[in-house]
Amino acid sequence: MPHAVIVAHGQPSDPTPAEVSLAAFARSVGALTPDISVHSATLAAPNALENCLDELPDGATIYPLFMAKGWFVNNALPKRIGSRNVSVLDPLGVDPELPALVWDALHKILELNKWSAIEVDLVIAAHGSGRSQNPAKVAQEFASRLKSFGSFKSIRTGFVEQPPSIAEAAAGTESKSICLPFFACTGGHVLEDVPQELARAGFNGHVMPVVGELPRVQQHIADRLNQVSAE
């Protein structure tokens, strides 16, 4: 049976909860890929990835559950993999099909609330970085591509670690508004920083799950793993 490993950043200060959460995520994807054994590991948990790969045969597929192809994907992940014989896919955030998958989730929210996109402010809450412009660029490119699917009243992008802040992006929105946490996993930023920033802005719209937890996104990850396995 082919093997795949879903890899995420995790939480360095307390690795265990993120490891448990990612394992549950991997089980969800694994249920959609019955012919592939899906495993998980966070980079924050010491030796978790190395130990996982050492227990698998050569040729495993690694899926980086990251929103940008930045330092962690380009530097940290290859270093941890070492000389092991694996294939590494592009991360979730740069997948060309991601805007269409997210639009599907947005469209369902619009229909449920009987809103028209043109009267809705969309706030994209992203991580950003104080050291590199790449994460912000990925989020901004995603926002730009999302415009082709629906004409929102506005699409605003705010960040945890660089300006504009999420509170600045969400300021002035009304009840017909949606916040999309542009994160792969539900970690500390999503549980603490994003709600605090939205509260600071007086945001009272609809808050979506993180991108990685949207049902069609999980199905897409499963489809991608199935596709690679069949090649």
Side-chain angles (χ1 to χ4, degrees), residues 91-163:
L92 173 63
V94 300
D95 192 312
E97 296 188 42
L98 187 61
L101 297 170
V102 172
W103 166 249
D104 179 74
L106 285 165
H107 188 253
K108 286 181 170 61
I109 294 169
L110 294 173
E111 286 189 329
L112 182 65
N113 289 281
K114 298 181 178 173
W115 293 344
S116 173
I118 196 64
E119 58 186 358
V120 172
D121 293 307
L122 175 62
V123 180
I124 297 176
H127 189 282
S129 171
R131 298 182 296 274
S132 168
Q133 284 300 309
N134 186 54
K137 182 180 178 182
V138 170
Q140 289 160 347
E141 287 179 351
F142 169 83
S144 179
R145 294 182 58 203
L146 200 58
K147 291 178 182 178
S148 65
F149 293 92
S151 299
F152 286 92
K153 180 180 177 183
S154 70
I155 299 181
R156 306 130 171 258
T157 305
F159 305 96
V160 172
E161 294 198 354
Q162 69 181 81

Coordinates of all heavy atoms in Angstrom, one line a residue, residues 91-163:
P91 N 2.7 22.9 -1.4 CA 1.9 23.2 -0.3 C 0.5 23.6 -0.7 O 0.2 24.1 -1.8 CB 2.6 24.2 0.5 CG 3.4 25.0 -0.5 CD 3.8 23.9 -1.5
L92 N -0.5 23.5 0.2 CA -1.9 23.8 0.0 C -2.1 25.2 -0.5 O -2.8 25.5 -1.5 CB -2.6 23.6 1.3 CG -4.1 24.0 1.3 CD1 -4.9 23.2 0.3 CD2 -4.7 23.9 2.7
G93 N -1.4 26.2 0.1 CA -1.7 27.6 -0.2 C -1.4 28.0 -1.6 O -2.0 29.0 -2.1
V94 N -0.5 27.3 -2.3 CA -0.2 27.7 -3.7 C -0.9 26.8 -4.7 O -0.6 26.9 -5.9 CB 1.3 27.7 -3.9 CG1 2.0 28.7 -3.0 CG2 1.9 26.3 -3.7
D95 N -1.8 25.9 -4.3 CA -2.5 25.1 -5.2 C -3.4 25.9 -6.1 O -4.2 26.7 -5.7 CB -3.4 24.1 -4.4 CG -3.9 23.0 -5.3 OD1 -4.5 23.3 -6.3 OD2 -3.8 21.8 -4.8
P96 N -3.2 25.8 -7.4 CA -4.0 26.6 -8.4 C -5.5 26.4 -8.3 O -6.3 27.3 -8.7 CB -3.5 26.2 -9.7 CG -2.8 24.9 -9.6 CD -2.3 24.9 -8.2
E97 N -5.9 25.3 -7.7 CA -7.4 25.0 -7.6 C -8.0 25.6 -6.3 O -9.2 25.5 -6.1 CB -7.6 23.5 -7.7 CG -7.2 22.9 -9.1 CD -7.7 21.5 -9.2 OE1 -8.8 21.2 -8.8 OE2 -6.9 20.7 -9.7
L98 N -7.1 26.1 -5.4 CA -7.6 26.5 -4.1 C -8.7 27.6 -4.2 O -9.7 27.5 -3.5 CB -6.5 26.9 -3.2 CG -6.8 27.2 -1.7 CD1 -7.4 26.0 -1.1 CD2 -5.6 27.7 -1.0
P99 N -8.5 28.7 -5.0 CA -9.6 29.7 -5.0 C -10.9 29.1 -5.4 O -12.0 29.5 -4.8 CB -9.0 30.7 -6.0 CG -7.6 30.5 -6.0 CD -7.3 29.1 -5.8
A100 N -11.0 28.2 -6.3 CA -12.3 27.7 -6.7 C -12.9 26.8 -5.6 O -14.1 26.9 -5.3 CB -12.1 26.8 -8.0
L101 N -12.0 26.1 -4.9 CA -12.5 25.3 -3.7 C -13.1 26.2 -2.6 O -14.1 25.9 -2.0 CB -11.4 24.4 -3.2 CG -10.8 23.4 -4.2 CD1 -9.6 22.7 -3.6 CD2 -11.9 22.3 -4.5
V102 N -12.4 27.3 -2.3 CA -12.8 28.2 -1.3 C -14.1 28.9 -1.7 O -15.0 29.1 -0.9 CB -11.7 29.2 -0.9 CG1 -12.2 30.2 0.0 CG2 -10.5 28.4 -0.3
W103 N -14.1 29.3 -3.0 CA -15.3 29.9 -3.5 C -16.6 29.1 -3.3 O -17.7 29.5 -3.0 CB -15.2 30.3 -4.9 CG -16.5 30.7 -5.6 CD1 -17.2 30.0 -6.5 CD2 -17.3 31.8 -5.2 NE1 -18.4 30.6 -6.8 CE2 -18.5 31.7 -6.0 CE3 -17.2 32.9 -4.3 CZ2 -19.5 32.7 -5.9 CZ3 -18.2 33.8 -4.2 CH2 -19.4 33.7 -5.0
D104 N -16.4 27.8 -3.5 CA -17.5 26.8 -3.3 C -18.1 27.0 -1.8 O -19.3 27.0 -1.6 CB -17.1 25.4 -3.5 CG -18.2 24.4 -3.3 OD1 -19.1 24.3 -4.2 OD2 -18.2 23.7 -2.3
A105 N -17.2 27.0 -0.8 CA -17.6 27.2 0.5 C -18.2 28.5 0.8 O -19.2 28.7 1.5 CB -16.4 27.0 1.5
L106 N -17.6 29.6 0.2 CA -18.2 30.9 0.3 C -19.6 31.0 -0.3 O -20.5 31.6 0.3 CB -17.3 31.9 -0.4 CG -16.0 32.3 0.4 CD1 -15.0 33.0 -0.6 CD2 -16.2 33.2 1.6
H107 N -19.7 30.4 -1.4 CA -21.0 30.4 -2.1 C -22.1 29.8 -1.2 O -23.3 30.3 -1.2 CB -20.9 29.7 -3.4 CG -22.2 29.9 -4.3 ND1 -23.0 28.8 -4.5 CD2 -22.7 30.9 -4.9 CE1 -24.0 29.2 -5.3 NE2 -23.8 30.5 -5.6
K108 N -21.8 28.7 -0.5 CA -22.7 28.0 0.3 C -23.1 28.9 1.5 O -24.3 29.0 1.9 CB -22.1 26.7 0.9 CG -22.1 25.6 -0.1 CD -21.5 24.4 0.5 CE -21.6 23.1 -0.5 NZ -21.0 23.3 -1.7
I109 N -22.2 29.7 2.0 CA -22.5 30.7 3.1 C -23.4 31.8 2.6 O -24.4 32.2 3.3 CB -21.2 31.2 3.7 CG1 -20.4 30.1 4.4 CG2 -21.5 32.4 4.7 CD1 -19.0 30.6 4.8
L110 N -23.1 32.3 1.4 CA -24.0 33.3 0.8 C -25.4 32.8 0.6 O -26.4 33.5 1.0 CB -23.4 33.8 -0.5 CG -22.0 34.5 -0.5 CD1 -21.5 34.7 -1.9 CD2 -22.1 35.8 0.3
E111 N -25.5 31.6 0.1 CA -26.9 31.0 -0.1 C -27.6 30.8 1.2 O -28.8 31.1 1.3 CB -26.7 29.7 -0.9 CG -26.4 29.9 -2.3 CD -26.5 28.5 -3.1 OE1 -26.3 27.5 -2.5 OE2 -26.9 28.6 -4.3
L112 N -26.9 30.3 2.2 CA -27.5 30.0 3.5 C -28.0 31.3 4.2 O -29.1 31.3 4.8 CB -26.4 29.4 4.5 CG -26.9 29.0 5.8 CD1 -28.0 27.9 5.7 CD2 -25.8 28.5 6.7
N113 N -27.3 32.4 4.0 CA -27.7 33.7 4.6 C -28.6 34.5 3.7 O -29.0 35.6 4.1 CB -26.5 34.5 5.1 CG -25.8 33.9 6.3 OD1 -26.2 34.0 7.4 ND2 -24.7 33.1 6.0
K114 N -28.7 34.0 2.5 CA -29.5 34.8 1.5 C -28.9 36.1 1.2 O -29.5 37.1 1.1 CB -31.0 34.9 1.9 CG -31.7 33.5 2.0 CD -33.1 33.7 2.4 CE -33.7 32.3 2.4 NZ -35.0 32.2 2.9
W115 N -27.5 36.1 1.1 CA -26.8 37.3 0.8 C -26.3 37.2 -0.7 O -26.1 36.2 -1.2 CB -25.5 37.4 1.7 CG -25.8 37.6 3.1 CD1 -26.9 38.0 3.7 CD2 -24.8 37.4 4.2 NE1 -26.7 38.1 5.1 CE2 -25.5 37.8 5.4 CE3 -23.5 37.0 4.2 CZ2 -24.8 37.7 6.6 CZ3 -22.8 36.9 5.4 CH2 -23.5 37.3 6.6
S116 N -26.2 38.4 -1.3 CA -25.5 38.5 -2.6 C -24.1 39.0 -2.3 O -23.8 39.8 -1.5 CB -26.2 39.6 -3.4 OG -25.5 39.8 -4.6
A117 N -23.1 38.4 -3.1 CA -21.7 38.7 -2.9 C -21.4 40.2 -2.9 O -20.6 40.7 -2.2 CB -20.9 37.9 -3.9
I118 N -22.2 40.9 -3.8 CA -21.9 42.3 -4.0 C -22.2 43.2 -2.8 O -21.7 44.3 -2.7 CB -22.7 42.8 -5.2 CG1 -22.2 44.2 -5.7 CG2 -24.2 42.9 -4.9 CD1 -20.8 44.1 -6.3
E119 N -22.9 42.6 -1.8 CA -23.2 43.4 -0.6 C -22.4 42.9 0.6 O -22.7 43.3 1.8 CB -24.7 43.3 -0.3 CG -25.3 41.9 -0.1 CD -26.8 41.8 0.1 OE1 -27.4 42.9 0.1 OE2 -27.3 40.7 0.2
V120 N -21.4 42.0 0.4 CA -20.7 41.4 1.5 C -19.2 41.8 1.4 O -18.6 41.8 0.4 CB -20.8 39.8 1.3 CG1 -19.9 39.1 2.3 CG2 -22.2 39.4 1.6
D121 N -18.7 42.1 2.6 CA -17.3 42.4 2.8 C -16.6 41.1 3.2 O -17.0 40.4 4.1 CB -17.0 43.4 3.9 CG -17.5 44.8 3.5 OD1 -17.1 45.3 2.4 OD2 -18.3 45.4 4.3
L122 N -15.5 40.7 2.4 CA -14.8 39.5 2.7 C -13.5 39.9 3.4 O -12.7 40.6 2.7 CB -14.6 38.6 1.5 CG -13.7 37.4 1.7 CD1 -14.3 36.4 2.6 CD2 -13.4 36.7 0.3
V123 N -13.2 39.4 4.6 CA -11.9 39.7 5.3 C -11.1 38.4 5.3 O -11.5 37.4 5.8 CB -12.2 40.1 6.7 CG1 -10.9 40.4 7.4 CG2 -13.1 41.4 6.8
I124 N -9.9 38.5 4.6 CA -9.0 37.3 4.6 C -8.0 37.5 5.7 O -7.2 38.5 5.7 CB -8.3 37.2 3.2 CG1 -9.4 36.9 2.2 CG2 -7.3 36.0 3.3 CD1 -8.9 36.8 0.8
A125 N -8.1 36.7 6.8 CA -7.2 36.8 7.9 C -6.0 35.9 7.7 O -6.2 34.6 7.7 CB -7.9 36.5 9.2
A126 N -4.8 36.4 7.4 CA -3.7 35.6 7.1 C -2.5 35.8 8.1 O -2.6 36.6 9.0 CB -3.2 35.9 5.7
H127 N -1.5 34.9 8.0 CA -0.4 35.0 8.9 C 0.6 36.1 8.7 O 0.9 36.9 9.5 CB 0.4 33.6 8.9 CG 1.4 33.5 9.9 ND1 2.6 34.1 9.9 CD2 1.3 32.7 11.1 CE1 3.3 33.7 11.0 NE2 2.6 32.9 11.7
G128 N 1.0 36.2 7.4 CA 2.0 37.2 7.1 C 3.4 36.9 7.8 O 3.5 35.8 8.4
S129 N 4.3 37.8 7.6 CA 5.6 37.5 8.2 C 6.4 38.9 8.3 O 6.3 39.7 7.5 CB 6.5 36.6 7.3 OG 7.8 36.5 7.8
G130 N 7.1 39.0 9.4 CA 7.9 40.2 9.6 C 9.3 40.0 8.9 O 10.1 41.0 8.9
R131 N 9.6 38.8 8.4 CA 10.9 38.6 7.8 C 10.9 38.4 6.3 O 11.9 38.6 5.6 CB 11.5 37.4 8.4 CG 11.8 37.5 9.9 CD 12.5 36.3 10.5 NE 11.6 35.1 10.4 CZ 10.7 34.7 11.3 NH1 10.5 35.5 12.3 NH2 10.0 33.6 11.1
S132 N 9.7 38.0 5.7 CA 9.6 37.7 4.3 C 8.3 38.2 3.8 O 7.3 38.1 4.5 CB 9.8 36.2 4.1 OG 9.4 35.9 2.7
Q133 N 8.3 38.7 2.6 CA 7.0 39.2 2.0 C 6.3 38.0 1.3 O 5.2 38.2 0.8 CB 7.3 40.3 0.9 CG 7.6 41.6 1.6 CD 6.5 42.1 2.4 OE1 5.3 42.1 2.0 NE2 6.7 42.5 3.6
N134 N 6.9 36.8 1.2 CA 6.3 35.7 0.5 C 4.9 35.3 1.0 O 4.0 35.1 0.2 CB 7.3 34.5 0.4 CG 6.7 33.4 -0.5 OD1 6.4 33.6 -1.6 ND2 6.7 32.2 0.1
P135 N 4.8 35.1 2.3 CA 3.5 34.7 2.8 C 2.4 35.7 2.5 O 1.3 35.3 2.1 CB 3.7 34.6 4.3 CG 5.1 34.2 4.5 CD 5.8 35.0 3.4
A136 N 2.7 37.0 2.6 CA 1.7 38.0 2.3 C 1.4 38.0 0.8 O 0.2 38.1 0.4 CB 2.2 39.4 2.8
K137 N 2.4 37.8 0.0 CA 2.2 37.8 -1.4 C 1.3 36.6 -1.8 O 0.4 36.8 -2.7 CB 3.5 37.6 -2.1 CG 3.5 37.6 -3.7 CD 4.8 37.5 -4.3 CE 4.7 37.4 -5.8 NZ 6.0 37.2 -6.4
V138 N 1.4 35.4 -1.2 CA 0.6 34.3 -1.5 C -0.9 34.6 -1.1 O -1.8 34.4 -1.9 CB 1.1 33.0 -0.7 CG1 0.0 31.9 -0.8 CG2 2.4 32.6 -1.3
A139 N -1.1 35.2 0.0 CA -2.4 35.6 0.5 C -3.1 36.6 -0.5 O -4.2 36.5 -0.8 CB -2.4 36.1 1.9
Q140 N -2.3 37.6 -0.9 CA -2.8 38.6 -1.7 C -3.1 38.1 -3.1 O -4.1 38.5 -3.8 CB -1.8 39.8 -1.8 CG -1.7 40.6 -0.5 CD -0.5 41.4 -0.3 OE1 0.5 41.2 -1.1 NE2 -0.4 42.3 0.7
E141 N -2.3 37.2 -3.6 CA -2.5 36.6 -4.9 C -3.8 35.7 -4.9 O -4.6 35.7 -5.8 CB -1.3 35.8 -5.4 CG -0.1 36.6 -5.8 CD 1.1 35.8 -6.2 OE1 1.0 34.5 -6.0 OE2 2.0 36.4 -6.8
F142 N -4.0 35.0 -3.8 CA -5.2 34.2 -3.6 C -6.4 35.1 -3.6 O -7.4 34.8 -4.3 CB -5.1 33.5 -2.2 CG -6.4 32.8 -1.8 CD1 -6.8 31.6 -2.3 CD2 -7.3 33.5 -1.0 CE1 -8.0 31.0 -2.0 CE2 -8.5 32.9 -0.6 CZ -8.8 31.7 -1.1
A143 N -6.3 36.3 -2.9 CA -7.4 37.2 -2.9 C -7.7 37.7 -4.3 O -8.9 37.9 -4.6 CB -7.1 38.4 -1.9
S144 N -6.7 38.0 -5.0 CA -6.9 38.6 -6.4 C -7.6 37.5 -7.3 O -8.5 37.9 -8.0 CB -5.5 38.9 -6.9 OG -5.7 39.4 -8.3
R145 N -7.2 36.3 -7.2 CA -7.8 35.2 -8.0 C -9.2 34.9 -7.6 O -10.0 34.5 -8.4 CB -6.9 34.0 -7.9 CG -5.5 34.1 -8.6 CD -4.8 32.8 -8.5 NE -5.5 31.8 -9.2 CZ -5.3 30.5 -9.0 NH1 -4.4 30.1 -8.1 NH2 -5.9 29.6 -9.7
L146 N -9.5 35.1 -6.3 CA -10.8 34.9 -5.8 C -11.9 35.9 -6.4 O -13.0 35.5 -6.5 CB -10.9 35.0 -4.2 CG -12.0 34.3 -3.5 CD1 -12.1 32.9 -3.8 CD2 -11.8 34.6 -2.0
K147 N -11.4 37.0 -6.8 CA -12.3 38.1 -7.4 C -12.9 37.6 -8.7 O -14.0 38.0 -9.0 CB -11.5 39.3 -7.6 CG -11.0 40.1 -6.4 CD -10.2 41.3 -6.8 CE -9.7 42.0 -5.5 NZ -8.8 43.2 -5.9
S148 N -12.3 36.6 -9.3 CA -12.8 36.2 -10.6 C -14.1 35.3 -10.4 O -14.8 35.0 -11.3 CB -11.8 35.4 -11.4 OG -11.4 34.2 -10.7
F149 N -14.3 34.8 -9.2 CA -15.4 33.9 -8.9 C -16.6 34.7 -8.3 O -17.8 34.2 -8.5 CB -15.0 32.9 -7.9 CG -14.0 31.9 -8.4 CD1 -12.6 32.1 -8.2 CD2 -14.4 30.8 -9.1 CE1 -11.7 31.2 -8.7 CE2 -13.5 29.9 -9.6 CZ -12.1 30.1 -9.4
G150 N -16.4 35.8 -7.7 CA -17.5 36.5 -7.1 C -17.2 38.0 -6.9 O -16.1 38.3 -6.5
S151 N -18.1 38.9 -7.2 CA -17.9 40.3 -7.0 C -18.3 40.7 -5.6 O -19.5 41.2 -5.4 CB -18.6 41.1 -8.1 OG -18.2 40.8 -9.4
F152 N -17.4 40.6 -4.7 CA -17.7 41.0 -3.3 C -17.7 42.6 -3.2 O -17.1 43.2 -4.0 CB -16.7 40.5 -2.3 CG -16.9 39.0 -2.1 CD1 -16.2 38.0 -2.8 CD2 -17.8 38.5 -1.1 CE1 -16.4 36.7 -2.6 CE2 -17.9 37.2 -0.9 CZ -17.2 36.2 -1.6
K153 N -18.4 43.1 -2.2 CA -18.4 44.5 -1.9 C -17.0 44.9 -1.7 O -16.6 46.0 -2.2 CB -19.3 44.8 -0.7 CG -19.3 46.3 -0.3 CD -20.2 46.4 0.9 CE -20.3 47.9 1.4 NZ -21.1 48.0 2.6
S154 N -16.2 44.2 -1.0 CA -14.8 44.4 -0.8 C -14.1 43.1 -0.4 O -14.8 42.2 0.2 CB -14.5 45.5 0.2 OG -14.8 45.0 1.5
I155 N -12.8 43.0 -0.8 CA -12.0 41.9 -0.3 C -10.8 42.5 0.4 O -10.0 43.2 -0.2 CB -11.6 40.9 -1.4 CG1 -12.8 40.2 -2.1 CG2 -10.6 39.8 -0.8 CD1 -12.4 39.3 -3.2
R156 N -10.7 42.3 1.7 CA -9.7 42.9 2.5 C -8.8 41.9 3.1 O -9.3 40.8 3.6 CB -10.3 43.7 3.7 CG -11.4 44.8 3.3 CD -12.6 44.6 4.1 NE -13.6 45.7 3.9 CZ -13.8 46.7 4.7 NH1 -13.1 46.7 5.8 NH2 -14.7 47.6 4.5
T157 N -7.5 42.1 3.1 CA -6.5 41.1 3.6 C -5.8 41.7 4.8 O -5.2 42.8 4.6 CB -5.5 40.6 2.6 OG1 -6.3 40.1 1.4 CG2 -4.7 39.5 3.1
G158 N -5.8 41.1 5.9 CA -5.1 41.5 7.1 C -4.2 40.4 7.7 O -4.4 39.2 7.4
F159 N -3.2 40.7 8.5 CA -2.2 39.8 8.9 C -1.9 39.8 10.4 O -2.1 40.8 11.0 CB -0.9 40.0 8.1 CG -1.0 40.1 6.6 CD1 -1.1 41.3 6.0 CD2 -1.0 38.9 5.9 CE1 -1.3 41.3 4.6 CE2 -1.1 38.9 4.5 CZ -1.3 40.1 3.9
V160 N -1.5 38.7 10.9 CA -1.1 38.5 12.3 C 0.2 39.2 12.5 O 0.4 39.9 13.5 CB -1.0 37.1 12.7 CG1 -0.5 36.9 14.1 CG2 -2.4 36.4 12.6
E161 N 1.2 39.0 11.6 CA 2.6 39.4 11.9 C 3.1 40.6 11.1 O 4.3 40.9 11.1 CB 3.5 38.2 11.7 CG 3.3 37.1 12.7 CD 4.4 36.1 12.9 OE1 5.4 36.2 12.1 OE2 4.3 35.3 13.7
Q162 N 2.2 41.3 10.3 CA 2.7 42.4 9.6 C 1.4 43.3 9.3 O 0.3 42.8 9.4 CB 3.4 42.0 8.3 CG 2.5 41.4 7.3 CD 3.2 41.0 6.0 OE1 3.8 40.0 5.9 NE2 3.1 41.9 5.0
P163 N 1.7 44.6 8.9 CA 0.5 45.4 8.6 C 0.1 45.1 7.2 O 0.8 44.7 6.3 CB 1.1 46.8 8.7 CG 2.6 46.7 8.5 CD 2.9 45.3 9.0

